[in-house]
Amino acid sequence: MAAVSFRDVRKSYTPELQVIHGVSMDIKDGEFIVILGPSGCGKSTLLRMVAGLETITSGEIAIGDRVVNNLEPKDRDIAMVFQNYALYPHMTVYDNMAYGLRIRGLSKDDISVRVKKAADILELDKYLERRPRELSGGQRQRVAMGRAIVREPQVFLFDEPLSNLDAKLRVQMRAELQALHRRLGTTSLFVTHDQVEAMTLAQRMIVINAGRAEQIGAPLEIYANPATVFVASFIGSPPMNLVPRDGRLLGIRPEHLEPCAASDAMLTIDVDLIEPLGADILVYGHVGDRDSARVAARLPADALAQAGKLALRYDPANVHWFDPKSGLRST
Amino acid sequence: MEKRVVFRSAWLPYFLVAPQIAITVVFFFWPAVQAVWFSFQLQDAFGLKSQFVGMQNFAHLFNDRNYLTSFKTTALFSGLVAFFGIAISLLLATMADRVLRGAMAYKTLLIWPYAVAPAIAGVLWAFLFAPSIGIVTYVLKGWGVDWNWIINGDQAMLLVVIASVWKEISYNFLFFLAGLQSIPKSLIEAAAIDGAGPARRFWTIVFPLLSPTTFFLLVVNIVYAFFDTFGVIDATTQGGPGQATNILVYKVYHDGVKAADLGGSSAQSVILMFIVIALTVVQFRFIERKVEY
Ligand SMILES: Nc1ncnc2c1ncn2[C@@H]1O[C@H](COP(=O)(O)OP(=O)(O)O)[C@@H](O)[C@H]1O
Ligand SMILES: [Mg+2]
């Protein structure tokens, strides 16, 4: 196990096209870090630079106390789980897991012990002689994890490994990943564009927008104190409401709004969409005309929601202020 | 759900396939049947009379030294053509697969030889290697190699192998390139992370995944070497010197047309026919059984 650090890491695929604009971060030994951001923001690029599959244009990446910029992937002591799993189609599940161990020259017995143990953890014992195409999506996913586990690497790298699974399996695998991390305690970098996945898995997360790290911190900390407008509007479902006020942007989470008498209204919206979720109700509407800011409010399930004007109030303690020019938090 | 087209008239479908059937019958089945028929006959020297002799033509063949030699020559020739045709094109495809920019230009250039008729390919290489005026001959002479395929059997074999391989490479190349490009890049990356170097990645991941393509090409190339290379041989060595490049298909032509031994030649072509049938059966059997992953 090892710490990982990024020191002003930059990446350009072509001289004109820079995709990572200087990321710095220290990941502690054994931490589970989620790299979160919208599609195309450079998450995979960042992860692949750690793996050694992409060169680092400038800056440094260190694993443990070694700077790995010029090391081959095989010398970095990392294991990666790909979005499409990248299982070797012509090999059995056993051979898929044993491949890297054989190359590293482990004895037959050692290999067998490690593969059996991983198969046991991942409940793959019955499938060791099968080929990948004879497995379900969830099982393939496990094999891909197994291939990473048996290597007992310093760092696990996951590139959206759950995005090809159906919703139910995804929730299940999320739990298993957490359990696995508790058990093995290996430093992990997990890329996703799904903020729910990020919130539930991360010990700390790094939110990326267009190749820049917008904020680094624990999920709840980021949720409670988004550092930028981007983070505020990316995290939360529905995300934070942002309403222009006196030349600044007022941010308020949907759950911090409550209905009130028209005379007490701090915010009035014209409700045009109501989503009863059972536990609560989401109502949406504009604060003014159609071009004005759109606001979502999470109301208790017994609230009387109807189309038309809705008066809302909030506790000023829950308000966040942002500077609309820089996009930064201003209080 | 099976989708079916239903014709209103019972005759229309037959009418539509009739031209294809007619061509197949006239140009393939009829000659094949004729060959079988002639192979049981013995004709007199002027081709006026013929008599039924049963298996005698075949018995003759298998006691004929020349015929057995031709078998060996063919085996050597098609082995060399298939091996080098596949190995070189696989190498080229692997290199082209790495090139991102200008890949289309390479592909276009590499496919040209396939469009060249076998006889022209043969003439082209015969010129390059011509004993007195060929440019390659000239270079070889500079290196102290005495090159004259007109009298040297091994060199003649080498020449027809080169010409045939050159022509077949483009076809193989396209299949290999398509095969390589269908292998997800992440597989190679996973192997690299697992610790495999380039050579190991090739032999343990890429090559096995290409094996259906390779097998298909092996059969196609052997069939090509058996039959399509007629033009190459006829335009260059004409089976010589001696019997050095007299492969089976050329011998059929030579014995039938030049030596006017219609019965013996027919018997040879019947044997060739069985070889193709066998190869085709192997091909289909294998492809049916062989998985796509
Ligand atoms: N090999 C490449 N060559 C050129 N541009 C690339 C390459 N890979 C990714 N990019 C570009 O870099 C940006 C970030 O890509 P990526 O890291 O894959 O994003 P993400 O994983 O966050 O969706 C995208 O704009 C993408 O088009
Ligand atoms: Mg990605």
Side-chain angles (χ1 to χ4, degrees), chain A residues 6-25 40-43 45-47 49 55-61 206-216:
Chain A
F6 295 82
R7 298 185 198 119
D8 197 29
V9 171
R10 288 163 197 271
K11 173 73 186 179
S12 312
Y13 281 107
T14 60
E16 317 86 66
L17 180 73
Q18 188 167 354
V19 282
I20 301 289
H21 305 271
V23 169
S24 296
M25 178 180 196
C41 71
K43 306 178 298 288
T45 304
L46 203 57
L47 198 73
M49 284 194 284
T55 56
I56 299 162
T57 309
S58 79
E60 269 181 5
I61 294 180
I206 168 168
V207 185
I208 309 245
N209 179 29
R212 289 192 170 77
E214 297 264 334
Q215 190 170 9
I216 300 171

XYZ file of all heavy atoms in Angstrom, chain A residues 6-25 40-43 45-47 49 55-61 206-216:
350
model
N -0.055 13.915 -6.584
C -0.033 14.642 -7.850
C 0.585 16.000 -7.562
O 0.161 16.680 -6.629
C -1.458 14.892 -8.355
C -2.224 13.658 -8.704
C -2.867 12.915 -7.723
C -2.327 13.247 -10.022
C -3.584 11.782 -8.050
C -3.053 12.116 -10.351
C -3.688 11.376 -9.361
N 1.582 16.384 -8.349
C 2.166 17.715 -8.151
C 2.070 18.500 -9.453
O 2.811 18.234 -10.382
C 3.618 17.608 -7.699
C 3.698 16.886 -6.367
C 5.071 16.825 -5.769
N 5.057 15.767 -4.761
C 5.822 14.673 -4.799
N 6.712 14.523 -5.753
N 5.715 13.763 -3.867
N 1.111 19.383 -9.502
C 0.889 20.232 -10.665
C 0.931 19.431 -11.969
O 1.663 19.749 -12.896
C 1.931 21.360 -10.697
C 1.484 22.480 -11.626
O 0.257 22.658 -11.783
O 2.361 23.163 -12.198
N 0.111 18.382 -12.019
C 0.108 17.491 -13.173
C -0.676 18.111 -14.320
O -1.792 18.593 -14.135
C -0.512 16.132 -12.786
C -0.718 15.270 -14.025
C 0.371 15.418 -11.781
N -0.060 18.116 -15.489
C -0.707 18.640 -16.687
C -0.624 17.625 -17.805
O 0.308 16.819 -17.851
C -0.007 19.932 -17.156
C -0.275 21.103 -16.256
C 0.724 22.219 -16.483
N 0.660 23.114 -15.334
C -0.170 24.146 -15.261
N -0.960 24.417 -16.263
N -0.191 24.885 -14.183
N -1.605 17.697 -18.698
C -1.592 16.791 -19.841
C -2.101 17.489 -21.081
O -3.152 18.131 -21.061
C -2.497 15.589 -19.547
C -2.711 14.662 -20.723
C -1.481 13.852 -21.020
C -1.633 13.015 -22.288
N -0.423 12.254 -22.588
N -1.327 17.398 -22.160
C -1.791 17.866 -23.466
C -1.672 16.697 -24.431
O -0.627 16.067 -24.498
C -0.911 18.998 -23.984
O -0.720 19.971 -22.988
N -2.740 16.404 -25.134
C -2.651 15.353 -26.153
C -1.971 15.900 -27.398
O -1.196 15.227 -28.044
C -4.041 14.810 -26.493
C -4.548 13.834 -25.465
C -5.547 14.176 -24.579
C -3.999 12.558 -25.377
C -6.013 13.276 -23.633
C -4.441 11.650 -24.439
C -5.449 12.015 -23.562
O -5.883 11.124 -22.629
N -2.310 17.137 -27.748
C -1.616 17.827 -28.836
C -1.213 19.178 -28.272
O -1.784 19.616 -27.279
C -2.538 18.022 -30.054
O -3.661 18.800 -29.640
C -3.036 16.704 -30.605
N -0.238 19.850 -28.892
C 0.213 21.134 -28.341
C -0.942 22.107 -28.092
O -0.924 22.858 -27.122
C 1.152 21.654 -29.423
C 1.656 20.437 -30.101
C 0.558 19.434 -30.052
N -1.965 22.078 -28.950
C -3.059 23.040 -28.783
C -4.080 22.556 -27.764
O -4.870 23.348 -27.251
C -3.815 23.281 -30.101
C -2.974 23.447 -31.347
C -2.640 22.108 -31.981
O -3.564 21.433 -32.451
O -1.446 21.720 -31.984
N -4.107 21.239 -27.528
C -5.213 20.694 -26.750
C -4.741 20.229 -25.374
O -4.256 19.126 -25.213
C -5.849 19.513 -27.503
C -7.032 18.838 -26.813
C -8.267 19.719 -26.881
C -7.323 17.487 -27.450
N -4.873 21.141 -24.393
C -4.517 20.741 -23.040
C -5.780 20.256 -22.350
O -6.810 20.931 -22.377
C -3.910 21.919 -22.279
C -3.350 21.490 -20.931
C -2.482 22.551 -20.294
O -2.190 23.572 -20.890
N -2.075 22.309 -19.060
N -5.737 19.064 -21.744
C -6.945 18.531 -21.115
C -6.865 18.532 -19.590
O -7.889 18.532 -18.922
C -7.294 17.115 -21.607
C -7.944 17.175 -22.961
C -6.108 16.212 -21.643
N -5.659 18.505 -19.027
C -5.523 18.609 -17.567
C -4.656 19.844 -17.290
O -3.553 19.970 -17.795
C -4.852 17.352 -16.968
C -5.657 16.093 -17.287
C -4.667 17.497 -15.454
C -6.960 15.967 -16.563
N -5.213 20.744 -16.492
C -4.552 22.039 -16.309
C -3.953 22.191 -14.919
O -4.265 23.123 -14.194
C -5.560 23.175 -16.533
C -6.248 23.110 -17.851
N -5.764 23.709 -18.984
C -7.383 22.494 -18.231
C -6.579 23.479 -20.002
N -7.568 22.741 -19.561
N -3.128 21.271 -14.521
C -2.457 21.442 -13.238
C -3.280 20.946 -12.069
O -4.002 21.699 -11.437
N -3.154 19.657 -11.780
C -3.856 19.075 -10.632
C -2.827 18.728 -9.568
O -1.805 18.114 -9.864
C -4.634 17.810 -11.051
C -5.136 17.059 -9.825
C -5.801 18.179 -11.956
N -3.087 19.169 -8.333
C -2.214 18.799 -7.222
C -3.068 18.185 -6.136
O -4.150 18.700 -5.832
C -1.503 20.023 -6.651
O -0.642 20.569 -7.632
N -2.578 17.087 -5.569
C -3.374 16.415 -4.547
C -2.512 15.373 -3.858
O -1.672 14.748 -4.487
C -4.552 15.719 -5.226
C -5.425 14.949 -4.266
S -6.758 14.172 -5.160
C -7.840 13.775 -3.816
N -15.950 13.720 -20.226
C -15.036 14.513 -21.051
C -14.202 15.523 -20.287
O -13.463 16.299 -20.876
N -14.282 15.513 -18.949
C -13.568 16.539 -18.185
C -12.118 16.150 -17.922
O -11.327 16.952 -17.448
C -14.270 16.796 -16.859
S -14.088 15.436 -15.691
N -11.755 14.889 -18.234
C -10.365 14.476 -18.075
C -10.131 13.494 -16.943
O -8.977 13.263 -16.557
N -11.177 12.876 -16.426
C -11.017 11.924 -15.330
C -10.183 10.723 -15.743
O -9.228 10.347 -15.066
C -12.389 11.399 -14.859
C -13.382 12.463 -14.500
C -14.713 11.851 -14.098
C -15.412 11.056 -15.176
N -15.997 11.833 -16.269
N -8.175 10.460 -18.216
C -6.816 10.898 -18.523
C -5.978 10.936 -17.251
O -4.843 10.442 -17.222
C -6.855 12.291 -19.175
O -7.701 12.217 -20.319
C -5.480 12.748 -19.581
N -6.549 11.480 -16.201
C -5.834 11.592 -14.935
C -5.477 10.197 -14.400
O -4.337 9.935 -14.008
C -6.743 12.331 -13.938
C -6.090 13.028 -12.771
C -5.066 14.038 -13.255
C -7.155 13.740 -11.931
N -6.453 9.302 -14.445
C -6.237 7.950 -13.938
C -5.208 7.202 -14.775
O -4.336 6.504 -14.255
C -7.571 7.187 -13.953
C -7.623 5.947 -13.084
C -7.695 6.356 -11.626
C -8.815 5.084 -13.434
N -2.821 8.419 -16.415
C -1.466 8.905 -16.160
C -0.880 8.214 -14.929
O 0.315 7.949 -14.865
C -1.467 10.426 -15.990
C -1.600 11.162 -17.315
S -1.198 12.903 -17.200
C -2.641 13.537 -16.409
N 1.350 9.466 -21.102
C 2.509 10.168 -20.572
C 2.045 11.406 -19.803
O 0.947 11.911 -20.028
C 3.429 10.640 -21.714
O 2.645 11.445 -22.587
C 4.002 9.466 -22.477
N 2.890 11.861 -18.886
C 2.577 13.052 -18.111
C 3.292 14.216 -18.789
O 4.514 14.193 -18.926
C 3.062 12.871 -16.657
C 2.341 11.669 -16.042
C 2.837 14.132 -15.837
C 3.011 11.123 -14.805
N 2.521 15.205 -19.240
C 3.140 16.291 -20.007
C 4.038 17.147 -19.117
O 5.159 17.481 -19.479
C 2.069 17.155 -20.688
O 1.183 16.285 -21.400
C 2.686 18.146 -21.646
N 3.523 17.515 -17.948
C 4.411 18.170 -16.995
C 3.888 17.937 -15.595
O 2.744 17.518 -15.412
C 4.538 19.666 -17.299
O 3.405 20.343 -16.818
N 4.732 18.189 -14.597
C 4.362 17.872 -13.230
C 4.839 16.480 -12.862
O 5.550 15.843 -13.656
N 4.450 16.038 -11.681
C 4.939 14.752 -11.189
C 3.818 13.947 -10.565
O 2.938 14.496 -9.922
C 5.974 14.994 -10.077
C 7.394 15.081 -10.569
C 8.359 15.288 -9.414
O 7.919 15.268 -8.238
O 9.534 15.476 -9.690
N 3.884 12.637 -10.748
C 3.018 11.741 -9.992
C 3.929 10.801 -9.223
O 4.866 10.235 -9.796
C 2.075 10.943 -10.907
C 1.081 11.891 -11.595
C 1.303 9.893 -10.116
C 0.102 11.215 -12.518
N -12.379 14.274 -5.412
C -11.849 15.424 -6.123
C -12.811 15.706 -7.267
O -13.109 14.827 -8.067
C -10.403 15.162 -6.599
C -9.955 16.236 -7.578
C -10.233 13.799 -7.223
C -8.456 16.210 -7.851
N -13.374 16.893 -7.277
C -14.349 17.238 -8.312
C -13.619 17.968 -9.428
O -12.942 18.971 -9.187
C -15.477 18.128 -7.749
C -16.536 18.353 -8.817
C -16.081 17.497 -6.514
N -13.725 17.422 -10.642
C -13.000 17.967 -11.779
C -13.968 18.624 -12.740
O -15.052 18.097 -12.994
C -12.257 16.853 -12.550
C -11.439 16.028 -11.594
C -11.454 17.420 -13.709
C -9.993 16.091 -11.777
N -13.578 19.772 -13.245
C -14.359 20.414 -14.296
C -13.384 20.903 -15.350
O -12.475 21.674 -15.044
C -15.152 21.589 -13.716
C -15.957 22.310 -14.778
O -16.371 21.699 -15.761
N -16.162 23.602 -14.591
N -13.579 20.437 -16.582
C -12.749 20.853 -17.718
C -11.261 20.834 -17.375
O -10.526 21.772 -17.655
C -13.169 22.238 -18.187
N -10.811 19.737 -16.755
C -9.387 19.556 -16.523
C -8.834 20.296 -15.322
O -7.621 20.322 -15.122
N -9.706 20.920 -14.521
C -9.234 21.597 -13.315
C -9.896 20.981 -12.106
O -11.069 20.617 -12.151
C -9.583 23.087 -13.360
C -8.773 23.848 -14.376
C -8.902 25.353 -14.212
N -7.933 26.012 -15.053
C -8.079 26.157 -16.366
N -9.162 25.727 -16.965
N -7.139 26.736 -17.079
N -9.128 20.894 -11.004
C -9.702 20.395 -9.757
C -10.478 21.540 -9.124
O -9.910 22.560 -8.764
C -8.598 19.927 -8.826
N -11.786 21.381 -9.020
C -12.601 22.455 -8.457
C -12.577 22.404 -6.942
O -12.592 23.422 -6.271
C -14.053 22.335 -8.943
C -14.214 22.494 -10.441
C -14.583 23.929 -10.837
O -15.165 24.643 -10.014
O -14.275 24.312 -11.978
N -12.586 21.199 -6.402
C -12.599 21.063 -4.948
C -12.157 19.660 -4.560
O -12.450 18.691 -5.259
C -14.015 21.321 -4.404
C -14.060 21.431 -2.891
C -15.409 21.935 -2.400
O -16.370 22.037 -3.181
N -15.499 22.240 -1.117
N -11.444 19.586 -3.445
C -11.011 18.301 -2.920
C -11.472 18.229 -1.474
O -11.254 19.177 -0.711
C -9.481 18.155 -2.974
C -9.002 18.260 -4.428
C -9.037 16.844 -2.347
C -7.503 18.352 -4.587
